[in-house]
Structure formats: structure tokens, C-alpha cells
Amino acid sequence: MSVPFLFAVLTISLQGSALGLVQDAPRDPGFGALAREHIGELSDRIGARVAGSPGEVRAAGYIENVFSQIGYPTRVQPFSFSGGPRDRRSTRESANVIAVKAGSSNEEIIVGAHYDSEVRGRGAGDNASGVGVMLEIAAAIRDVATPYTIRFIAFGAEEEGLAGSRYTVSEIPPEDIGRVVAMINLDSLIAGDFAYVYGDRGDRGVVRDWVLARAREQGLDLRTQPGENPEYPRGTTGEFSDHAPFEDVGIQYAYFESTNWSLGERDGYVQVDPQLGENGYIWHTPFDTMGYIESTFPGRIDARLHLFATMLYQVLTEFSAP
């Protein structure tokens, strides 16, 4: 059965489920509840979403249907990638799911979150959490004027060398690169000890600095990478998530994440106390479930979702590039 046909079938079969998660989207600061429901659908009901697997296809169908039910023009962008969990030499199929909200300008902000996961665990934090926040805010701004056109992209196959985001960037005509004001990346938002936002080096981190200033004004505990590891200049991060292909072509980024940059090698990989999870790792482990995160860190899921959704909403509705 072809991937496009599977998407069509799953869009129909998931229609009733997704419809219940786009009604009465919140228009107030009480964000997080709807994102949590989407995380549950992706991680508890669908489960692991390994790149190129039936689970990933089901997740893409769910996301496509939610975007469509919100009312956005939506399309699936199929692509092939090399590798997979059983045969690294094979060619496998995945897809990005793209929805567009027209803004006051044809300049764009791209909001991205990958929906695939690793084999172990259920990918609740990495990265159903990013998709959940993206879907909640997509619904919340549906009828809100935005300074820029917003392009929401759920990336497939991030865990396979950022295949989905690399394909998206390769398909942007060179003359359109300059119309992209920023790329906002949402990845692994609910498990780590602290909430962070990263961006380009120094003064190029305009969106990062804007977000940090807004968070301070509201008394929100949002941090940036402190620069304790000389390999990662303060305020930045490594090229290990979907912001990287955009950064490579000169598009500035802001990247939301939850981890702990003061642990382990101080490279952002150890998220929590090393006595918890798998030596301090939640992502890519059997501990990446809503049940473990909620029981081990009571209240953290709701707090993180509220913070990140609030800041994403404000970026998309208020930020104006200098």
C-alpha cells in the first residue's frame, strides 16, 4: 500500500478522534490542556512512531487531520530517506505535514516540530510534546491577525539525520529564503529540569532575545544555554534538531527545549538527575512516557506546556523583525 494512500485512509479513520481536539481552542493565557491531549493521542494511543514505520504514518495522518479540522490549507510532503531501525542501507518513506495560516505579510515564520520517535519509549517528550504545543497554538491563532504568514510543519524522520527538515529546506526556492523571518523549533519540551530557548550567535539571536525579554516581563522561568561548555557559545545549541538545516541557509532560529545544561558533559543531553530515567536521560529511553514523567516530576508537564505555548503564541502574534 502506498504512503499517500495510507495517509488518505488514516485521515478518514482518525477524523472523529481529531475533531474532538480542535473544538473550543483556548484564546486566553491558560494554554497547555489541549497540547496535553494531543500528546496523549500521539504517545499513548499511537505509541512509538519510528521513522518509516506504520506508527509514523498513523501519526502523520492524525496531524494532517487536526490541521484540516482547524481550517488550514494542509498538504503532505512525502520524501525518501536512507536507513532505518533494521537495515541502514535501505530506502524508506516518510512525510512532512504542512499547514499555512495567512498573515498580514507574505513574509513567513516557520514553526516546526518532528513527530517521529525512537524505538524505545513512546516519544511523549521527544517529541509528541513539540507537536502538541504546535497544534494547540495553530488552533488558538486561527482567527487572530498575525504580522507574518505562519507555516506549521510537522517533520518526519528527524531521528534519521533530520531527514524531514533537510528535505523541506531543499525544496525552498533560493529566492524565497529571504522571505522567512525565522524558524521556531519545538523539541522535547516536558521532561527536563529547566525550560530553555536558544538562537543564533550573539546579536543574530533576535527572536531568542525577544522571547527571553518577554518571559522576564511576565516572571516566567525561561532560560538560555549558559555557555558553561566552550563548544557551545552562550545562547546557542548544537546542530542536532530541526533548526539546523534552516540555520545552515541563513534563516535565524529560536529553539524551545527542556533539559539541564549543567549536568553530565554540559552539552544538553542529560535532562535530569542521573539517578532518574536512564542515567539522567528521558529521551530515547523507555522512560519517555507521560506516565513516568508525570509520576516522577508532578506538575512539570502542565507547567512546561503552559510556558512554551504562551511564548509561542506571543511570538506568532506580536513579534516584528527589526
Side-chain angles (χ1 to χ4, degrees):
M1 186 180 293
S2 70
V3 169
F5 180 70
L6 273 173
F7 278 121
V9 171
L10 287 165
T11 296
I12 295 170
S13 65
L14 292 168
Q15 182 172 0
S17 173
L19 182 60
L21 297 183
V22 300
Q23 301 295 318
D24 302 319
R27 298 297 199 272
D28 56 54
F31 293 124
L34 190 57
R36 186 185 182 106
E37 292 294 323
H38 288 303
I39 296 169
E41 289 288 312
L42 290 165
S43 65
D44 292 342
R45 190 174 66 80
I46 294 175
R49 306 169 301 283
V50 178
S53 71
E56 191 195 37
V57 173
R58 290 180 64 204
Y62 172 80
I63 294 164
E64 181 189 7
N65 195 58
V66 172
F67 277 138
S68 296
Q69 292 295 330
I70 291 170
Y72 290 130
T74 304
R75 69 183 179 96
V76 172
Q77 182 185 54
F79 63 89
S80 299
F81 67 96
S82 297
R86 293 183 177 85
D87 184 358
R88 292 288 171 181
R89 297 169 297 178
S90 66
T91 297
R92 302 171 71 84
E93 293 183 322
S94 183
N96 301 319
V97 184
I98 303 171
V100 179
K101 181 203 183 305
S104 300
S105 166
N106 66 356
E107 292 184 302
E108 293 187 356
I109 291 179
I110 293 173
V111 179
H114 76 89
Y115 64 91
D116 63 312
S117 72
E118 282 283 351
V119 176
R120 300 194 299 164
R122 289 181 168 267
D126 185 15
N127 183 38
S129 63
V131 176
V133 167
M134 180 171 67
L135 292 176
E136 175 166 10
I137 297 308
I141 68 171
R142 176 185 55 198
D143 300 320
V144 176
T146 56
Y148 302 107
T149 292
I150 311 300
R151 187 174 300 269
F152 298 100
I153 309 178
F155 296 115
E158 186 266 1
E159 302 292 359
E160 296 292 339
L162 316 180
S165 53
R166 292 191 189 282
Y167 185 76
T168 287
V169 171
S170 75
E171 290 294 294
I172 302 176
E175 61 270 21
D176 288 345
I177 294 291
R179 291 198 302 109
V180 182
V181 173
M183 188 273 180
I184 312 297
N185 186 36
L186 310 169
D187 195 353
S188 301
L189 303 183
I190 59 175
D193 286 336
F194 303 108
Y196 295 90
V197 60
Y198 320 120
D200 296 84
R201 294 190 182 202
D203 293 341
R204 272 192 52 80
V206 174
V207 182
R208 174 202 60 219
D209 293 345
W210 187 94
V211 170
L212 285 169
R214 288 304 306 274
R216 284 194 298 269
E217 291 171 5
Q218 297 165 82
L220 299 175
D221 185 10
L222 180 64
R223 311 178 180 199
T224 195
Q225 193 271 109
E228 296 174 0
N229 184 331
E231 294 185 16
Y232 302 95
R234 184 183 184 279
T236 69
T237 188
E239 294 193 350
F240 34 67
S241 188
D242 286 314
H243 66 288
F246 296 88
E247 182 185 15
D248 289 344
V249 296
I251 295 172
Q252 74 157 301
Y253 74 93
Y255 172 6
F256 293 118
E257 182 185 52
S258 182
T259 187
N260 190 331
W261 278 85
S262 295
L263 296 175
E265 299 295 322
R266 298 184 178 183
D267 55 8
Y269 279 97
V270 179
Q271 297 170 282
V272 298
D273 188 321
Q275 297 184 59
L276 302 172
E278 190 172 282
N279 300 315
Y281 288 69
I282 304 297
W283 44 33
H284 299 188
T285 77
F287 299 97
D288 193 2
T289 67
M290 288 189 75
Y292 180 81
I293 297 169
E294 186 66 70
S295 62
T296 309
F297 312 103
R300 181 171 292 184
I301 292 176
D302 292 335
R304 292 284 187 273
L305 293 176
H306 174 77
L307 186 156
F308 286 122
T310 297
M311 298 317 303
L312 180 60
Y313 181 90
Q314 292 178 11
V315 170
L316 300 185
T317 58
E318 300 175 26
F319 174 77
S320 180

